[in-house]
Amino acid sequence: MTRTQKQADRTEETPGKQSRGAGSAVQSVDRAVSVLEILARLGEAGVTEIADELEVHKSTAFRLLGVLENRGLVAQAKDRGKYYLGAGVLRLAGAAAVRLDISQEGVPVCRELADEVGETVNIAVLDDNAAVNIMQARGAASVTAQNWLGRRTPLHATSSGKVLLGHLPPTLREGLLARPLPRFTERTITGTAALRGELEAVVEQGYAFALEELELGLAATAAPVRAHDGKVIGAISVSGPVYRLDSDRLPDLAKRTAAAAADLSRRMGYGF
């Protein structure tokens, strides 16, 4: 960076005339990330120190810190005026770690279950108002099955989604149930009362079913995966065509899926 550029960065911009273009927004994001990296490296730092590291005016550094503090990503030691990484960073890191851990630990579990039942096995986690599949294994009978990896699927119309939705804290669950429930097939549950009743059954019996509720011809069953503290952090599902996953076979598949989910839960530290 040249001397002229450094001076320009340190010059305070006039309120109301600050650029609102994409370049300015990207620069702000870049600087905010840099603040987090500085605090991660130093442990704690004051406004002046951060401004010097970023080569910006103190007021710019102060605004960045204010935004990050409002989001819980940094906190301030009031007695020293120093800033340090906040609990929000731990929350984000924890969410990323859970996804990484459940995906890694789930590989042998999913492969074993897929080999055992011959169908497609997925691990899904909650992502805002959807279930996203982060791990997939295919059994011998599912070699031509569609790829669900990375797909976001609706909570109310899938077996994994029902598991994740049913085990949410009541306030969060009711908030999601208050939203419109889109219909995908004539079997999709779109009534709040009916779905609430099904979720209660899912929690009580330990597994969920979805029979042609997302796609015609598709059936699935899923069971919850728990973290060390008992919190449900994901769901294992087995899916396939209804002519293979019929009413005679699904109950047995549900038990096998629940057993696999319990195995993965133990790998995640639950029950120790």
Side-chain angles (χ1 to χ4, degrees):
M1 182 179 292
T2 67
R3 181 181 183 86
T4 301
Q5 289 172 320
K6 291 181 180 179
Q7 290 175 340
D9 273 346
R10 291 175 179 273
T11 301
E12 181 64 11
E13 298 179 34
T14 304
K17 296 183 180 180
Q18 193 170 6
S19 172
R20 298 182 183 276
S24 177
V26 170
Q27 184 183 53
S28 296
V29 172
D30 182 70
R31 286 173 173 173
V33 173
S34 295
V35 171
L36 298 177
E37 291 176 339
I38 290 168
L39 294 178
R41 173 165 49 86
L42 300 180
E44 62 177 22
V47 176
T48 300
E49 194 173 3
I50 291 172
D52 288 342
E53 287 266 354
L54 294 176
E55 298 183 338
V56 299
H57 195 278
K58 281 179 61 176
S59 60
T60 299
F62 186 76
R63 285 200 303 271
L64 290 169
L65 287 164
V67 172
L68 293 171
E69 186 174 18
N70 287 339
R71 300 303 294 267
L73 297 175
V74 305
Q76 185 179 19
K78 302 300 182 183
D79 57 332
R80 301 189 306 278
K82 299 278 189 176
Y83 289 87
Y84 55 92
L85 293 179
V89 173
L90 296 177
R91 183 184 68 250
L92 296 176
V98 164
R99 287 196 176 195
L100 180 62
D101 289 347
I102 193 174
S103 180
Q104 291 178 340
E105 294 294 336
V107 170
V109 176
C110 286
R111 286 178 177 169
E112 182 177 352
L113 180 60
D115 289 342
E116 180 182 338
V117 301
E119 305 292 347
T120 300
V121 176
N122 282 285
I123 296 177
V125 296
L126 186 68
D127 187 15
D128 189 21
N129 64 341
V132 60
N133 294 291
I134 61 172
M135 168 63 200
Q136 179 173 279
R138 293 181 178 179
S142 62
V143 290
T144 60
Q146 60 181 298
N147 182 17
W148 293 95
L149 192 61
R151 281 188 57 180
R152 289 169 55 86
T153 56
L155 298 176
H156 69 291
T158 59
S159 58
S160 292
K162 291 176 186 178
V163 167
L164 297 170
L165 185 57
H167 287 87
L168 279 177
T171 302
L172 293 178
R173 182 174 63 248
E174 290 303 315
L176 291 173
L177 289 177
R179 301 181 181 185
L181 301 174
R183 181 178 296 280
F184 299 97
T185 74
E186 62 182 20
R187 290 178 173 267
T188 306
I189 301 174
T190 58
T192 302
L195 182 58
R196 187 182 289 113
E198 177 145 346
L199 294 179
E200 291 175 356
V202 167
V203 173
E204 182 177 350
Q205 66 194 13
Y207 49 82
F209 295 116
L211 303 176
E212 298 188 286
E213 296 171 41
L214 179 63
E215 294 181 8
L216 291 177
L218 179 67
T221 182
V225 177
R226 300 179 183 273
H228 64 92
D229 58 359
K231 179 181 177 182
V232 172
I233 55 174
I236 291 184
S237 68
V238 172
S239 61
V242 291
Y243 66 82
R244 286 203 304 263
L245 276 64
D246 56 20
S247 58
D248 291 331
R249 191 182 179 205
L250 271 176
D252 177 63
L253 283 179
K255 293 179 181 178
R256 292 173 184 242
T257 303
D263 182 18
L264 181 51
S265 297
R266 285 190 291 271
R267 289 171 177 263
M268 299 299 294
Y270 180 63
F272 292 97

